[in-house]
Amino acid sequence: MSIDVIAVNLPAQEDLVTLTKEHFTAETGITVNFTLLPENDVRAKITQEFSSQAGVYDVASLSNYEIPFYADNGWVAPIDDFLAADDDFDLPDMLPSMMDSMTGSDGKTYGMPFEGQSSFTMYRKSVFEEHGLTMPDNPTWDEVADLAKTLDEESDMDGICLRGLPGWGQQLAPLNTVINTFGGTWFDMNWDAQLTSAETVEAVEFYVDLIQEHGEPGAAQAGYAECLNRFLQSDSAIWVDATNSGGPVEAEDSPIAGDVGYAQSPVKETDASGWLWTWAWGIQAASKKQEAAWEFVSWASSQEYEELVAETYDWSRVPYGKRQSTFDNPEFQEGAPFYAAAMEAILAADPNDPGVQPRPYKGVQFVGIPEFISLGTAVSEDIAAAIAGNTTVQEALEKSQAAAQEVGDKYK
């Protein structure tokens, strides 16, 4: 028996590939054929595969954005019967906020988190100490911008690294948290687009200006992987990004392990601004091997697998953020110095109320509608052009406003 799994090529998923044959396959006899792709590429491939129900891949990396409408379209299989029969899985240990996002409109469960995350602020402790600077535990964006300016001018590092690479899950992930906390939104309750509102324009101009003045070179082509690499190589002093970045940052082979401080995501008008995300597993409805697929999903999202990662590597590389028992584990707390800041960020994130006004959709860093894949990507390309200096933020958002309104009109 073999199954085919398509997943994003992040460090935790790469560890899973390494460990599967020796541990899962040896125990179950199920061979797992992996396909790992970069974030933007894997999303396009999975959408094409699952929408056509070709059945090539039995399991895919999906998220709390895709699971609800994949379920409504009948593209993923419900897993409630598998969960009911799996006495070893310990479902009550899963964080409610993560499991809520795995539910379809029919109330059935369609996905299982592999790792959960919010976003937070990472900074180099030794560099801050050298320059007499302090990062607040709950910084504002104005404070972070001032710190980035000082470090850009007085150290040999860029002040900050923020994603500029086009993609609704790349650049727009951090940028939408900025829009939320500045008081902006994509749509009001009447589904009227708000991309040219004063608050949204102010937020995007702040983000673009901060990157251009104190961020990484070539920012319009810098996504998660590029910012991770720059932070690890001591090219950037501050990085605001996913809480699961703590794993590679604190790994035994990391050149900056032990020299990184963790604070909450910067805010302006809200009390918190971190996003809420899970890389989860979805079983394709067309798969003829759903029982074997569940065996893999159950193992990969289990406490047993987390302990295997800790034993093989260290606790900082565990795909955490989905189970309460992991946060409560003293060994994890000791081995993952980012755990407290990460847990606070995950628990504070509210996908139903992430900004200062009500909105007709769910999602902190995304708009929870199927059209956001193409709309978000198009808008992010216009904003990347502004980051690159090829257009202005106002021009980019006026163009984006028209595209967003076309989508909003479908929901009126």
Side-chain angles (χ1 to χ4, degrees):
M1 172 70 75
S2 66
I3 61 171
D4 289 272
V5 175
I6 181 169
V8 65
N9 66 341
L10 295 174
Q13 284 77 1
E14 291 171 348
D15 286 345
L16 180 65
V17 173
T18 301
L19 296 170
T20 293
K21 182 177 180 180
E22 181 179 353
H23 298 276
F24 175 73
T25 301
E27 182 177 334
T28 65
I30 300 170
T31 299
V32 182
N33 304 311
F34 285 98
T35 299
L36 297 189
L37 295 172
E39 193 165 333
N40 282 349
D41 296 339
V42 81
R43 288 199 171 103
K45 183 74 172 177
I46 292 171
T47 300
Q48 179 184 37
E49 163 72 13
F50 275 53
S51 63
S52 67
Q53 288 293 285
V56 173
Y57 296 102
D58 303 288
V59 179
S61 280
L62 296 174
S63 70
N64 48 326
Y65 167 70
E66 288 112 345
I67 289 287
F69 67 86
Y70 270 45
D72 289 346
N73 285 328
W75 297 347
V76 285
I79 58 174
D80 299 277
D81 289 345
F82 293 125
L83 281 167
D86 193 336
D87 294 333
D88 296 330
F89 187 73
D90 194 6
L91 182 61
D93 187 36
M94 303 296 285
L95 294 177
S97 60
M98 293 297 166
M99 290 308 301
D100 286 349
S101 63
M102 299 289 99
T103 306
S105 60
D106 59 1
K108 296 180 180 178
T109 307
Y110 287 90
M112 185 52 60
F114 174 61
E115 61 177 352
Q117 60 175 260
S118 183
S119 52
F120 60 10
T121 303
M122 296 163 277
Y123 60 97
R124 292 294 301 278
K125 292 190 293 188
S126 61
V127 180
F128 271 64
E129 183 177 352
E130 178 183 350
H131 293 274
L133 302 174
T134 301
M135 175 67 76
D137 291 336
N138 294 279
T140 66
W141 268 114
D142 288 337
E143 290 172 329
V144 169
D146 286 344
L147 290 166
K149 178 177 185 295
T150 299
L151 292 166
D152 188 36
E153 293 174 349
E154 297 183 5
S155 77
D156 57 357
M157 297 182 182
D158 301 323
I160 193 167
C161 199
L162 294 169
R163 301 185 198 182
L165 182 69
W168 67 266
Q170 284 283 359
Q171 171 208 101
L172 287 190
L175 177 54
N176 277 333
T177 69
V178 180
I179 291 173
N180 290 335
T181 198
F182 270 64
T185 181
W186 278 66
F187 297 98
D188 66 14
M189 288 299 288
N190 295 318
W191 283 103
D192 287 324
Q194 299 295 309
L195 294 183
T196 53
S197 71
E199 295 84 0
T200 304
V201 172
E202 181 188 7
V204 179
E205 286 183 337
F206 174 89
Y207 190 86
V208 170
D209 288 348
L210 182 55
I211 290 179
Q212 288 180 334
E213 294 171 7
H214 306 300
E216 70 277 17
Q221 295 301 315
Y224 173 81
E226 289 75 17
C227 279
L228 171 61
N229 186 56
R230 292 191 65 79
F231 196 62
L232 289 175
Q233 298 305 314
S234 297
D235 292 324
S236 298
I238 303 171
W239 181 28
V240 180
D241 214 296
T243 53
N244 65 342
S245 307
V249 164
E250 299 292 349
E252 287 184 356
D253 60 353
S254 167
I256 60 173
D259 187 35
V260 178
Y262 301 92
Q264 295 304 296
S265 285
V267 296
K268 188 173 179 69
E269 302 294 340
T270 59
D271 293 333
S273 70
W275 65 58
L276 189 68
W277 182 259
T278 174
W279 281 113
W281 304 114
I283 299 174
Q284 186 169 183
S287 169
K288 305 298 184 187
K289 306 170 185 174
Q290 292 188 11
E291 289 189 9
W294 170 253
E295 280 199 64
F296 168 74
V297 170
S298 176
W299 174 74
S301 293
S302 67
Q303 291 171 296
E304 173 192 353
Y305 177 73
E306 292 188 355
E307 291 167 359
L308 173 63
V309 174
E311 179 182 338
T312 306
Y313 304 110
D314 56 66
W315 278 102
S316 70
R317 286 172 66 161
V318 166
Y320 72 100
K322 60 184 182 293
R323 289 186 174 276
Q324 183 62 49
S325 60
T326 312
F327 284 123
D328 294 340
N329 187 328
E331 292 181 289
F332 175 69
Q333 294 175 7
E334 181 178 355
F338 48 82
Y339 93 92
M343 182 171 67
E344 180 179 342
I346 290 172
L347 295 179
D350 184 354
N352 297 307
D353 186 22
V356 303
Q357 69 284 96
R359 51 194 68 187
Y361 56 87
K362 288 186 177 182
V364 178
Q365 76 278 29
F366 56 77
V367 179
I369 56 175
E371 293 87 350
F372 191 65
I373 294 174
S374 57
L375 174 62
T377 299
V379 170
S380 69
E381 289 172 349
D382 292 334
I383 294 173
I387 293 172
N390 296 326
T391 188
T392 66
V393 167
Q394 189 69 45
E395 289 171 343
L397 291 178
E398 287 176 357
K399 181 181 176 183
S400 299
Q401 169 79 7
Q405 192 57 62
E406 284 188 23
V407 171
D409 289 342
K410 296 179 182 178
Y411 289 86
K412 289 189 172 183

